[in-house]
Coordinates of all heavy atoms in Angstrom, one line a residue:
M1 N 131.1 157.8 85.2 CA 132.2 157.9 84.2 C 132.1 159.3 83.5 O 131.0 159.8 83.3 CB 132.0 156.9 83.1 CG 132.6 155.5 83.6 SD 132.7 154.3 82.2 CE 131.0 154.2 81.7
S2 N 133.2 159.8 83.2 CA 133.1 161.1 82.4 C 132.8 160.8 80.8 O 132.8 159.7 80.5 CB 134.5 161.8 82.6 OG 135.5 161.0 81.8
M3 N 132.5 161.9 80.2 CA 132.1 161.8 78.8 C 133.5 161.3 77.9 O 133.1 160.4 77.0 CB 131.6 163.2 78.3 CG 131.1 163.0 76.9 SD 130.3 164.5 76.3 CE 129.0 164.8 77.5
T4 N 134.5 161.6 78.3 CA 135.7 161.3 77.6 C 135.9 159.7 77.6 O 136.1 159.1 76.7 CB 137.0 161.9 78.1 OG1 136.8 163.3 78.0 CG2 138.2 161.6 77.2
V5 N 135.7 159.2 78.8 CA 135.9 157.7 79.1 C 134.7 157.0 78.4 O 135.0 156.0 77.7 CB 135.9 157.4 80.5 CG1 135.8 155.9 80.8 CG2 137.0 158.1 81.2
T6 N 133.5 157.6 78.5 CA 132.3 156.9 77.9 C 132.6 156.9 76.2 O 132.3 155.9 75.6 CB 131.0 157.8 78.1 OG1 131.0 157.7 79.5 CG2 129.9 157.1 77.6
L7 N 133.0 158.1 75.7 CA 133.2 158.0 74.2 C 134.4 157.0 73.8 O 134.2 156.4 72.8 CB 133.5 159.4 73.7 CG 132.3 160.4 73.8 CD1 132.8 161.8 73.5 CD2 131.2 159.9 72.9
A8 N 135.3 157.0 74.6 CA 136.5 156.0 74.3 C 135.9 154.6 74.3 O 136.3 153.8 73.4 CB 137.7 156.3 75.2
L9 N 135.2 154.2 75.4 CA 134.7 152.9 75.5 C 133.8 152.6 74.4 O 133.7 151.5 73.9 CB 134.1 152.7 76.9 CG 135.0 152.5 78.1 CD1 134.2 152.5 79.4 CD2 135.8 151.2 77.9
L10 N 133.0 153.5 74.1 CA 131.9 153.4 73.0 C 132.7 153.1 71.7 O 132.2 152.2 70.9 CB 131.0 154.6 72.9 CG 129.9 154.5 71.8 CD1 129.0 153.4 72.2 CD2 129.3 155.9 71.8
A11 N 133.6 153.9 71.4 CA 134.5 153.6 70.2 C 135.1 152.2 70.1 O 135.1 151.5 69.1 CB 135.6 154.7 69.9
A12 N 135.7 151.8 71.3 CA 136.4 150.5 71.4 C 135.3 149.4 71.3 O 135.6 148.3 70.6 CB 137.0 150.5 72.7
V13 N 134.1 149.5 71.9 CA 133.1 148.5 71.8 C 132.5 148.4 70.4 O 132.3 147.3 69.9 CB 132.1 148.7 72.9 CG1 130.9 147.9 72.7 CG2 132.7 148.3 74.2
I14 N 132.3 149.5 69.7 CA 131.7 149.4 68.4 C 132.9 148.8 67.5 O 132.5 148.1 66.5 CB 131.5 150.9 67.9 CG1 130.2 151.3 68.7 CG2 131.3 150.9 66.4 CD1 129.8 152.8 68.3
A15 N 134.2 149.2 67.6 CA 135.2 148.5 66.8 C 135.2 147.0 67.0 O 135.4 146.2 66.1 CB 136.5 149.2 67.2
L16 N 135.1 146.6 68.3 CA 135.0 145.1 68.6 C 133.9 144.4 68.0 O 134.0 143.4 67.4 CB 135.1 144.9 70.1 CG 135.0 143.5 70.6 CD1 136.3 142.8 70.1 CD2 134.9 143.4 72.1
A17 N 132.7 145.2 68.0 CA 131.6 144.6 67.4 C 131.6 144.3 65.9 O 131.3 143.3 65.3 CB 130.2 145.4 67.7
V18 N 132.3 145.4 65.2 CA 132.5 145.3 63.8 C 133.4 144.2 63.5 O 133.4 143.4 62.5 CB 132.9 146.7 63.3 CG1 133.5 146.6 61.7 CG2 131.8 147.7 63.3
F19 N 134.6 144.1 64.1 CA 135.6 143.1 63.9 C 135.1 141.7 64.2 O 135.3 140.8 63.5 CB 136.7 143.4 64.9 CG 137.8 142.3 64.7 CD1 138.7 142.2 63.7 CD2 138.1 141.3 65.7 CE1 139.6 141.3 63.5 CE2 139.0 140.4 65.6 CZ 139.8 140.4 64.5
A20 N 134.3 141.6 65.3 CA 133.7 140.2 65.6 C 132.6 139.9 64.5 O 132.5 138.6 64.2 CB 133.1 140.2 67.0
G21 N 131.9 140.8 64.0 CA 130.9 140.5 63.0 C 131.7 140.0 61.8 O 131.2 139.2 61.0
W22 N 132.8 140.7 61.4 CA 133.5 140.3 60.2 C 134.1 138.9 60.3 O 134.0 138.2 59.5 CB 134.7 141.3 60.0 CG 135.6 141.0 59.0 CD1 135.4 140.9 57.5 CD2 136.9 140.5 59.1 NE1 136.4 140.5 56.9 CE2 137.5 140.2 57.8 CE3 137.7 140.4 60.2 CZ2 138.8 139.8 57.7 CZ3 139.0 140.0 60.1 CH2 139.6 139.6 58.8
R23 N 134.7 138.7 61.5 CA 135.2 137.3 61.8 C 134.2 136.3 61.8 O 134.4 135.1 61.3 CB 136.0 137.3 63.0 CG 137.3 138.1 63.0 CD 138.3 137.4 62.2 NE 138.6 136.0 62.7 CZ 139.7 135.4 62.7 NH1 140.8 136.0 62.2 NH2 139.8 134.2 63.1
G24 N 133.0 136.4 62.4 CA 131.9 135.6 62.5 C 131.3 135.2 61.2 O 130.7 134.2 61.0
A25 N 131.3 136.3 60.3 CA 130.7 136.1 58.8 C 131.6 135.4 57.9 O 131.1 135.0 56.8 CB 130.4 137.3 58.4
R26 N 132.9 135.1 58.3 CA 133.8 134.5 57.3 C 133.4 132.9 57.3 O 132.9 132.3 58.3 CB 135.2 134.5 57.8 CG 135.7 135.9 57.8 CD 137.1 136.1 58.2 NE 138.0 135.3 57.4 CZ 139.3 135.1 57.6 NH1 139.8 135.5 58.8 NH2 140.1 134.5 56.7
P27 N 133.5 132.3 56.2 CA 133.2 130.8 56.0 C 134.1 130.0 56.9 O 135.3 130.3 57.1 CB 133.3 130.5 54.6 CG 134.1 131.7 54.0 CD 134.0 132.8 54.9
S28 N 133.6 128.9 57.4 CA 134.4 128.0 58.2 C 135.4 127.3 57.3 O 135.1 127.1 56.2 CB 133.5 127.1 59.0 OG 132.8 126.2 58.1
Q29 N 136.5 126.9 57.9 CA 137.5 126.2 57.2 C 137.8 124.9 58.1 O 138.7 125.0 59.0 CB 138.8 127.0 57.1 CG 138.5 128.3 56.3 CD 139.8 129.2 56.3 OE1 140.7 129.0 57.1 NE2 139.7 130.2 55.5
P30 N 137.1 123.9 57.8 CA 137.2 122.6 58.6 C 138.7 122.0 58.6 O 139.1 121.4 59.6 CB 136.2 121.6 58.0 CG 135.4 122.4 57.1 CD 136.1 123.7 56.8
H31 N 139.4 122.2 57.6 CA 140.7 121.6 57.5 C 141.8 122.3 58.4 O 142.8 121.7 58.8 CB 141.3 121.7 56.0 CG 141.5 123.0 55.5 ND1 140.5 123.8 55.0 CD2 142.6 123.8 55.4 CE1 140.9 125.0 54.6 NE2 142.1 125.0 54.9
R32 N 141.3 123.6 58.9 CA 142.3 124.2 59.9 C 141.8 123.9 61.3 O 142.5 124.4 62.2 CB 142.2 125.8 59.6 CG 142.8 126.1 58.3 CD 142.8 127.5 58.1 NE 143.8 128.1 59.0 CZ 143.8 129.5 59.3 NH1 143.2 130.3 58.6 NH2 144.7 130.0 60.2
G33 N 140.7 123.2 61.5 CA 140.2 122.9 62.9 C 139.0 123.7 63.3 O 138.5 124.4 62.4
V34 N 138.6 123.5 64.4 CA 137.5 124.0 65.0 C 137.7 125.5 65.5 O 138.7 125.8 66.0 CB 137.0 123.2 66.3 CG1 135.7 123.8 66.7 CG2 136.7 121.8 65.9
R35 N 136.8 126.4 65.3 CA 136.7 127.7 65.8 C 136.6 127.7 67.3 O 135.7 127.2 67.9 CB 135.7 128.6 65.2 CG 135.9 129.0 63.8 CD 134.8 130.1 63.5 NE 134.5 130.0 62.1 CZ 133.7 130.9 61.5 NH1 133.0 131.8 62.2 NH2 133.3 130.8 60.2
M36 N 137.6 128.2 67.9 CA 137.7 128.3 69.5 C 137.1 129.5 70.0 O 136.8 129.7 71.2 CB 139.1 128.0 69.9 CG 139.7 126.7 69.5 SD 138.6 125.3 70.0 CE 138.9 125.2 71.7
I37 N 136.8 130.5 69.3 CA 136.3 131.8 69.7 C 134.9 132.0 69.2 O 134.7 132.0 67.9 CB 137.3 133.0 69.3 CG1 138.7 132.7 69.8 CG2 136.7 134.3 69.7 CD1 139.6 133.8 69.4
P38 N 134.0 132.2 70.0 CA 132.6 132.4 69.6 C 132.3 133.9 69.1 O 131.9 134.8 69.9 CB 131.7 132.1 70.8 CG 132.7 132.5 72.0 CD 134.0 132.3 71.5
W39 N 132.7 134.2 67.8 CA 132.6 135.5 67.3 C 131.3 136.1 67.3 O 131.1 137.3 67.6 CB 133.2 135.6 66.0 CG 134.6 135.3 66.0 CD1 135.3 134.2 65.4 CD2 135.7 136.1 66.5 NE1 136.7 134.3 65.6 CE2 137.0 135.4 66.2 CE3 135.8 137.4 67.1 CZ2 138.2 135.9 66.7 CZ3 136.9 137.9 67.5 CH2 138.2 137.2 67.3
R40 N 130.3 135.3 67.1 CA 128.9 135.9 67.1 C 128.4 136.4 68.4 O 127.7 137.3 68.6 CB 127.9 134.9 66.5 CG 128.1 134.8 65.0 CD 127.3 133.8 64.4 NE 127.7 133.4 63.1 CZ 127.2 133.8 61.9 NH1 126.3 134.6 61.9 NH2 127.9 133.3 60.8
L41 N 128.8 135.6 69.6 CA 128.4 135.9 70.9 C 129.2 137.2 71.3 O 128.6 138.1 71.9 CB 128.8 134.7 71.8 CG 128.5 135.0 73.3 CD1 127.0 135.3 73.5 CD2 129.0 133.9 74.0
I42 N 130.4 137.3 70.9 CA 131.2 138.5 71.1 C 130.6 139.7 70.5 O 130.5 140.8 71.1 CB 132.7 138.3 70.7 CG1 133.3 137.3 71.6 CG2 133.4 139.6 70.8 CD1 134.7 136.8 71.2
M43 N 130.1 139.5 69.3 CA 129.5 140.6 68.4 C 128.3 141.1 69.2 O 128.0 142.3 69.4 CB 129.2 140.2 67.1 CG 128.4 141.2 66.3 SD 127.9 140.6 64.6 CE 126.8 139.3 65.1
V44 N 127.4 140.1 69.6 CA 126.1 140.5 70.3 C 126.4 141.1 71.6 O 125.6 142.1 71.9 CB 125.2 139.2 70.4 CG1 124.0 139.6 71.2 CG2 124.7 138.7 69.0
T45 N 127.3 140.7 72.2 CA 127.7 141.2 73.6 C 128.1 142.5 73.5 O 127.7 143.5 74.3 CB 128.6 140.3 74.3 OG1 128.0 139.0 74.5 CG2 128.9 140.7 75.8
S46 N 129.0 142.8 72.6 CA 129.5 144.2 72.4 C 128.6 145.1 71.9 O 128.7 146.3 72.3 CB 130.8 144.2 71.6 OG 130.6 143.6 70.3
A47 N 127.7 144.7 71.0 CA 126.6 145.5 70.6 C 125.6 145.9 71.7 O 125.2 147.0 71.8 CB 125.8 144.8 69.4
F48 N 125.4 145.0 72.6 CA 124.7 145.4 73.8 C 125.4 146.4 74.7 O 124.8 147.4 75.1 CB 124.3 144.1 74.6 CG 123.6 144.4 76.0 CD1 122.3 144.8 75.9 CD2 124.2 144.3 77.1 CE1 121.7 145.1 77.0 CE2 123.6 144.6 78.2 CZ 122.3 145.0 78.3
A49 N 126.6 146.1 74.9 CA 127.4 147.2 75.6 C 127.5 148.5 74.9 O 127.4 149.5 75.6 CB 128.9 146.7 75.8
A50 N 127.4 148.6 73.6 CA 127.4 149.8 72.9 C 126.1 150.5 73.2 O 126.0 151.7 73.3 CB 127.6 149.7 71.4
F51 N 125.0 149.7 73.3 CA 123.7 150.3 73.4 C 123.7 150.9 75.0 O 123.1 152.0 75.1 CB 122.6 149.2 73.3 CG 121.2 149.7 73.6 CD1 120.5 150.6 72.8 CD2 120.6 149.4 74.8 CE1 119.3 151.2 73.2 CE2 119.3 149.8 75.2 CZ 118.6 150.7 74.3
V52 N 124.1 150.1 75.8 CA 124.2 150.6 77.2 C 125.0 152.0 77.3 O 124.6 152.8 78.0 CB 124.7 149.6 78.2 CG1 125.0 150.1 79.5 CG2 123.8 148.2 78.2
L53 N 126.2 152.0 76.7 CA 127.0 153.2 76.6 C 126.3 154.3 76.0 O 126.5 155.5 76.3 CB 128.4 152.8 75.9 CG 129.3 152.0 76.8 CD1 130.4 151.6 76.0 CD2 129.8 152.9 78.0
L54 N 125.5 154.1 74.9 CA 124.8 155.2 74.2 C 123.7 155.7 75.1 O 123.5 156.9 75.2 CB 124.1 154.7 73.0 CG 125.0 154.5 71.8 CD1 124.3 153.9 70.6 CD2 125.4 155.9 71.3
V55 N 123.0 154.8 76.0 CA 122.0 155.4 76.9 C 122.8 156.1 78.0 O 122.3 157.3 78.3 CB 121.3 154.2 77.6 CG1 120.4 154.6 78.8 CG2 120.4 153.5 76.5
H56 N 123.9 155.7 78.5 CA 124.7 156.5 79.4 C 125.2 157.8 78.9 O 125.1 158.8 79.5 CB 125.9 155.7 79.8 CG 126.8 156.4 80.9 ND1 126.4 156.7 82.2 CD2 128.1 156.8 80.7 CE1 127.3 157.4 82.8 NE2 128.4 157.4 81.9
L57 N 125.6 157.9 77.6 CA 126.0 159.1 76.9 C 124.8 160.1 76.9 O 124.9 161.2 77.1 CB 126.5 158.8 75.6 CG 127.0 160.0 74.8 CD1 128.3 160.5 75.6 CD2 127.4 159.6 73.4
A58 N 123.6 159.6 76.5 CA 122.4 160.4 76.5 C 122.1 161.0 77.8 O 121.7 162.2 78.1 CB 121.3 159.6 76.0
A59 N 122.4 160.2 79.0 CA 122.1 160.7 80.3 C 123.2 161.8 80.6 O 122.8 162.8 81.4 CB 122.2 159.6 81.3
L60 N 124.4 161.6 80.1 CA 125.4 162.6 80.4 C 125.1 163.8 79.6 O 125.4 165.0 80.1 CB 126.8 162.0 79.9 CG 127.5 161.1 80.8 CD1 128.7 160.6 80.2 CD2 127.7 161.7 82.3
L61 N 124.5 163.8 78.6 CA 124.1 165.0 77.7 C 122.8 165.7 78.3 O 122.5 166.7 77.8 CB 124.0 164.6 76.2 CG 125.3 164.3 75.6 CD1 125.0 163.8 74.2 CD2 126.3 165.4 75.6
G62 N 122.1 165.0 79.2 CA 120.9 165.5 79.8 C 119.7 165.5 78.9 O 118.8 166.3 78.9
L63 N 119.7 164.5 78.0 CA 118.5 164.3 77.1 C 117.3 164.0 78.0 O 117.5 163.1 79.0 CB 118.8 163.3 76.0 CG 119.7 163.7 75.0 CD1 120.0 162.5 74.1 CD2 119.4 164.9 74.3
P64 N 116.1 164.4 77.7 CA 115.1 164.0 78.5 C 114.6 162.6 78.5 O 114.8 161.9 77.4 CB 113.8 164.8 77.9 CG 114.2 165.1 76.6 CD 115.7 165.2 76.6
Q65 N 114.2 162.0 79.6 CA 113.9 160.6 79.7 C 112.3 160.5 79.6 O 111.6 161.3 80.1 CB 114.4 160.1 81.0 CG 115.8 160.0 81.1 CD 116.3 159.6 82.5 OE1 115.4 159.3 83.4 NE2 117.5 159.4 82.7
R66 N 111.9 159.4 78.9 CA 110.5 159.1 78.9 C 110.0 158.4 80.0 O 110.7 157.6 80.7 CB 110.2 158.4 77.6 CG 110.5 159.1 76.4 CD 110.2 158.3 75.1 NE 108.7 158.0 75.3 CZ 108.0 157.4 74.3 NH1 108.6 157.2 73.2 NH2 106.7 157.1 74.5
S67 N 108.8 158.6 80.5 CA 108.3 157.9 81.6 C 107.8 156.6 81.1 O 107.3 156.4 80.0 CB 107.1 158.6 82.2 OG 106.0 158.8 81.4
P68 N 107.7 155.5 82.0 CA 107.3 154.2 81.6 C 105.9 154.1 81.4 O 105.4 153.1 80.9 CB 107.8 153.3 82.6 CG 107.9 154.2 83.8 CD 108.2 155.5 83.3
V69 N 105.0 155.1 81.7 CA 103.5 155.1 81.5 C 103.1 155.2 80.1 O 103.4 155.8 79.3 CB 103.0 156.1 82.5 CG1 101.5 156.0 82.3 CG2 103.2 155.7 83.9

């Protein structure tokens, strides 16, 4: 992926994580029914995707990698 695509995906995934975090932190309203969307799982998944995209961005920028030793 190019840097433009990576940055656009990173911005979208971070926005999704923030939105899902906001929706997941709202108090439940039992009189309106059960929540059908797992907002906390979406938040964690998108945060992981943001981390992967940050690592990919670092590789695109040519930052040095540490050896596992």
Side-chain angles (χ1 to χ4, degrees):
M1 282 191 297
S2 68
M3 188 171 304
T4 306
V5 174
T6 302
L7 289 173
L9 282 175
L10 183 61
V13 166
I14 288 174
L16 179 63
V18 168
F19 178 72
W22 172 70
R23 289 289 302 215
R26 293 177 69 192
S28 62
Q29 299 172 348
H31 64 279
R32 293 186 66 192
V34 181
R35 286 190 208 180
M36 298 302 290
I37 300 176
W39 291 111
R40 293 177 194 259
L41 178 63
I42 292 171
M43 178 185 63
V44 170
T45 305
S46 57
F48 175 74
F51 177 73
V52 170
L53 285 168
L54 280 173
V55 170
H56 178 65
L57 185 63
L60 284 176
L61 292 173
L63 294 177
Q65 297 176 353
R66 293 183 56 170
S67 64
V69 177

